[in-house]
Each structure stands twice: as C-alpha cells, then as structure tokens.
Amino acid sequence: MGAHIGRRLRKGATSGVVMAAAVAALAASQAPEATPPATDNTSGDQAIGAGDTTSPSGHGSVTGDSPYYTDLPPLNPPNLPGASTKLPLTTGPAEAGIPASVYSAYKRAELSIRSTDPGCNLPWQLLAGIGKVESGQANGGRVDANGTASPRILGPALDGNGFALITDTDGGAYDGDTKLDRAVGPMQFIPSTWATWGQDANSDGKKDPNNIYDAAQAAGLYLCANDRNLALKADLDQAILSYNRSREYLNTVLSWVAFYERGTHQIPDGTGVLPVGRSDNGSRGNRPRPATSLPTVPTTPTPGTQKPKPPAENRPGPVKPPTVPTKPPVTPPVTPSALPAAAKVARLMIVANEKPTTTTNSAFTGLPRVAALDASGKPVPGVHVRFEIIGATDTRFGAGGTTATVTTGSVGLATSPALRAGEKTGAFTVRATVVGRTLGAADFAATVTERQADTLTRLAGDPLSATTGTSFTQKVQVKATDKGALAPGVRVTAVIVTSKTNTEESADGPSFKRADGTTARTVTLVVGTDGLLTFEPGDLLAGDKAGTYYVRLTAPGGGTTFIDLTVNAPATTNPDPTPTPSPTPSGSTSPETTTPSPSASPSA
C-alpha cells in the first residue's frame, strides 16, 4: 500500500562560494591588464585542472567543443546584489533581457529538476549562461509558439579541424548532415549526446534539440549527471567543462551566470541581443569561421567589452553621446518585435475550450485558445500572449510551470501549452493576457474532478482469515473499472465495518497498517496504473477481538464491494489429563492408588 523511496546523500555546500567565484571571474576577465588564458584544448583536458571532466554520455563534450560566443557581460550589473529580480519589461541593459519563451524554458527546467534531483541544486541562471554562450539565447529568442528555433540553429561540421571529429550518428535527422555531425539547437547538443539525454519537456510527443524547452531540460539533466552538487565550485566547474572543454569557456559561462544572478528581465521573443565574438575568430588558429545558421544582428557595443567599432564610428567628427532607445530597433535584418503587434491588439477573444475539464492526474484534452484582434476585428499575428494558472490547484503547464508565453500565429490564434492536473480537485482559472499591455484578460473556468469507477470487483484472495494479535497473510486484489474500461488513479475509500449493511466504522477488530507504521480503520487508497487495488500480506492487522468483519470499498462513480475478514481466537490448550488427588478427610483411610509405569504398554 505504500512505497519508501530513498535518495542518495549529497555533499553540503553554500551557493555563496559559487557566486563569489563567478563574480571574481567576471571582474578578472574584464580587467584592462588581464591576459586571457589559452583556449585551444583540442588535445585533451590536461591544462584544465578542474578534476574529472568526462562527459556522462561518453563523448568529450556536449557540443563536440564547437565554437561558442565569447562576449562578456558589462561590468555594471542590471541590479545590485540582493535586489529584486522582478524587473519591469524593459529595465536594465539590453544584455540582461532574456526572451520570454527562453526564460520560461530555463525556469521550468530548474523547477522540474529540483523536484526530481534536489541535491543537484541546479540554478536556472546556469542554463541561461550556457544558452547565452552557445546560441545567444536561441538566436535572440527567435522561436515559434511551441519554443522551436526558427530557423534551426546548427554549428559547423565536426570535421576535426580545431574541434572534435565526429562522423554522422543520426543519418542527418537532426543536423541535416549525413557525413559529419553538427551541434544542434539553442543548447548545441551533438546528435549522439542528444540520443542519450534528449527530453520532451513541452509534451508535444517529440524530443527536439531545436526546441528550447526540450533542450533546456536535457541540458539541466546533463549538468546534474555523475551525482554533481552544483552548489559546490568543483562540481560546477566540472559540469561546465563537460559541456565544452575550455578554460575560457568556463570563465565566460561563469561571468554570465553571475550577471544573471544579479538581475534580469523578460523581453519579447525575437528581440534579444546577439553577441558577435566567437571562439573561432582567431582564438583557435587561422582557420576561417565555420558557416552556421546563426545570423549576426547589429547591436550597440556595451561599454567595457572593448568590441571593435564599426568603420563609420571611427571617422573624424564629433562624437554623439549615447542615447537610450525608447523602442526596439527596426534596422534590417532584425525581425520586427512583438511590441508594435501588441500595440495593435484591441482585445483577446476566447475562441475554444472556455471551460476545460479533466479528472485528477490526467491531461486536459481541450486547451484554452484565444484570438488577438485589432479594433476592426481582424486577427493580429506575432502577439505574445501569457497564459497563467490562478487559484488553489496543482495543475501545471508542461514540465511544471504556472505561466507560459505563446506567440499568435498568422491567423492571430494562441493556444495554451499542455495542461496536466495533479491530485487536487476543484475550480481554478487559466488567464490569458497580452504581454506588455493592460488589456482585459480572457479567463477560462477550469475544473478538475475525481476520477470515477462504477464497478469494483474482488479477484482471488477473498475471504481473509487470521488469529487475534496477528496480521492477515493472504493477498487480495480489487479491479476498478468505469464503463467497462480500467480506471487507474481512482481514489477508493476503505472502511472496516461489522456488517455489509452497516456503513459505520467498527470500534474494534481489524485495522489497516499505514506506511508510517500507524493504524486506522478508515483509509483512502489509490488504484494503480494497472487498474488494480492490491492488499499485500501484512497490510491488514487482525486486532484483539475475534469475529467476522468486512472491508467496505467505495469509489467515486458508485463502485462498491466488500472483502470478508474472519478473526479467530487462539486455539485452547488441553489441560493435564492426570487428576489431582483430593485431600483425605481426617480420620479416614485413603484408598490405595497405583501409578502406571511410563514404559508400560496399554492393555489389549
């Protein structure tokens, strides 16, 4: 009736050590006189000096040591230490903004992994740091409504020219290359590593390395491998180096982690700032920069990063003071931001599934859907719509979040990501709003009800019998069905009663033994995934009073049955057959008695 699940012990640590080290790395890496360490590590890990960096998948690294962005964050963080990270939509340096879907994927991965592997202490900022260095946060957040990078993000062919030599392992399924492998997607997984660590975090039935939700979840699991505790500096370094074996890579990622830990904010998808410096621009020899599908987006250099200025800025003439743009740039080839589209929206209209329902521990089959319309009633594409779960419920989106951002398609529609109910029943609200606007919300009245079973059927093992003071040693099972189909997950109430017509709990007799060792005569049990409710030997105690009792089982939906229990008194011990002589009265003569010899044979 219950299971005990153990968890391996972790090494203790404080995250402050990691934060301090990361800040030190950030400051040192941008000091005017700092000498950057060598980054060419193609011959192995000898010069890294950070312990065992063997990747859990058996490859040298997640990315095949392919090129990565080397830009560092500005020295001035977007917020002071300890300040709130709930910053307004457009607050702080541009580099601090993380596209909404990308940010959501990192947070969801952290929440999911902390629930399954709390000892890893995975911070979402580590995923953000790696995502920034590997792909510029999914190419500046250029993802579709499901979080899939568009266009897909591919690294160079891994031909051994300055990085790993990896011949094709996926038949070109992920990278389109049937001769050599390439790193794929926002977190730059090589196909062979993805085959081991790939995840379906957005519940769309696919494990796609180009999907930011799938990729972030897989990256988090990979970083936590080998029983790592990322609150420890040594384990954190090993995790990052297993991703890409370069000391410069380690320092660059730690710099971004520290930057994001000091504060960040969400920005619309597709408007993120892309870094421009890559590790193959002279730092790994004189070979040309590999062609990838990562376009370079013109950006304003951040003070302190010492980027080369465009030729136009080096021409003689007065230098204009920097200005802070009040709206996203519109210079090609930047994809137009969602803010102008959001400004066109006059209302959100519910178009489907206004009252989604499901049963406990089940997925919602009808998902909330809205249309973004302008004042004339025409659909508005490219609008960021935030779906939020509001109320006392354990229903969650996808991998465990309570909020999700979706972009309207060409016909102005946005559909909520997959919703799955937990164990709580009742009503709650799924609210849709336009990101960056104060328009009226579109509210969906959602409901979770108990799973039902209209029939409970006893299988082999009934009736049960035991002696007082012991437990029932027989196994018995009950099958739960609803309209003829198995009904897993149904909550069944079990009560010890004295007759099949009495619904009141018995005051004595048998009892249920709970997983924690306590006893009760009324318990709630959950039908297993096989549709069976099983009483194992020892789950029922006989008690101290002999008699006939019953387990009365009832389920939502009307299913009812009984299990017969018989409690027997201990067998009576036979008394000594030799009579005890009576005292002889005073003055009388006792008759002569003969005690037979033990060895004498009985007479015929």
Side-chain angles (χ1 to χ4, degrees), residues 433-505:
T433 56
V434 176
V435 175
R437 296 291 304 279
T438 56
L439 296 173
D443 285 348
F444 295 79
T447 306
V448 178
T449 59
E450 281 279 8
R451 284 192 173 188
Q452 296 187 344
D454 56 21
T455 305
L456 296 177
T457 305
R458 297 190 312 278
L459 302 180
D462 179 39
L464 307 181
S465 62
T467 303
T468 55
T470 66
S471 62
F472 293 88
T473 58
Q474 304 97 322
K475 177 178 179 179
V476 64
Q477 291 183 314
V478 175
K479 181 172 68 173
T481 57
D482 190 50
K483 299 179 179 61
L486 290 177
V490 173
R491 293 177 174 273
V492 176
T493 301
V495 185
I496 304 293
V497 295
T498 55
S499 74
K500 293 184 178 181
T501 59
N502 185 5
T503 60
E504 296 296 324
E505 175 188 295

Side-chain angles (χ1 to χ4, degrees), residues 103-118 121-125 127 216-217 220-221 224 389 394-403:
Y103 177 85
S104 173
Y106 296 152
K107 293 286 286 185
R108 283 168 58 176
E110 177 196 55
L111 181 65
S112 173
I113 293 171
R114 289 202 174 215
S115 67
T116 59
D117 189 6
N121 294 301
L122 172 73
W124 69 263
Q125 291 92 342
L127 297 175
Q217 179 83 1
L221 292 171
C224 287
I389 298 172
D394 54 1
T395 296
R396 295 292 183 266
F397 292 113
T402 58
T403 62

Side-chain angles (χ1 to χ4, degrees), residues 234-270:
D235 282 8
L236 177 66
D237 286 358
Q238 287 181 21
I240 297 172
L241 288 169
S242 76
Y243 220 91
N244 196 312
R245 301 174 302 167
S246 161
R247 174 64 65 178
E248 183 188 63
Y249 181 86
L250 171 67
N251 290 337
T252 304
V253 170
L254 287 176
S255 297
W256 282 106
V257 171
F259 182 73
Y260 289 132
E261 282 181 339
R262 290 189 167 208
T264 187
H265 56 275
Q266 296 185 57
I267 59 175
D269 289 346

Side-chain angles (χ1 to χ4, degrees), residues 150-244:
S150 180
R152 64 180 180 175
I153 303 170
L154 297 176
L158 298 174
D159 57 4
N161 184 18
F163 30 73
L165 170 60
I166 305 178
T167 56
D168 177 61
T169 61
D170 65 332
Y174 294 123
D175 55 15
D177 193 329
T178 58
K179 294 182 178 180
L180 297 168
D181 271 348
R182 298 169 181 259
V184 181
M187 305 303 281
Q188 289 289 277
F189 276 88
I190 55 176
S192 53
T193 305
W194 183 258
T196 300
W197 294 90
Q199 300 292 307
D200 178 19
N202 63 346
S203 301
D204 64 353
K206 297 182 294 184
K207 297 179 180 180
D208 184 0
N210 268 295
N211 182 277
I212 184 58
Y213 294 99
D214 294 357
Q217 179 83 1
L221 292 171
Y222 183 94
L223 292 165
C224 287
N226 297 332
D227 197 29
R228 293 191 184 106
N229 178 359
L230 300 181
L232 292 172
K233 182 66 167 64
D235 282 8
L236 177 66
D237 286 358
Q238 287 181 21
I240 297 172
L241 288 169
S242 76
Y243 220 91
N244 196 312

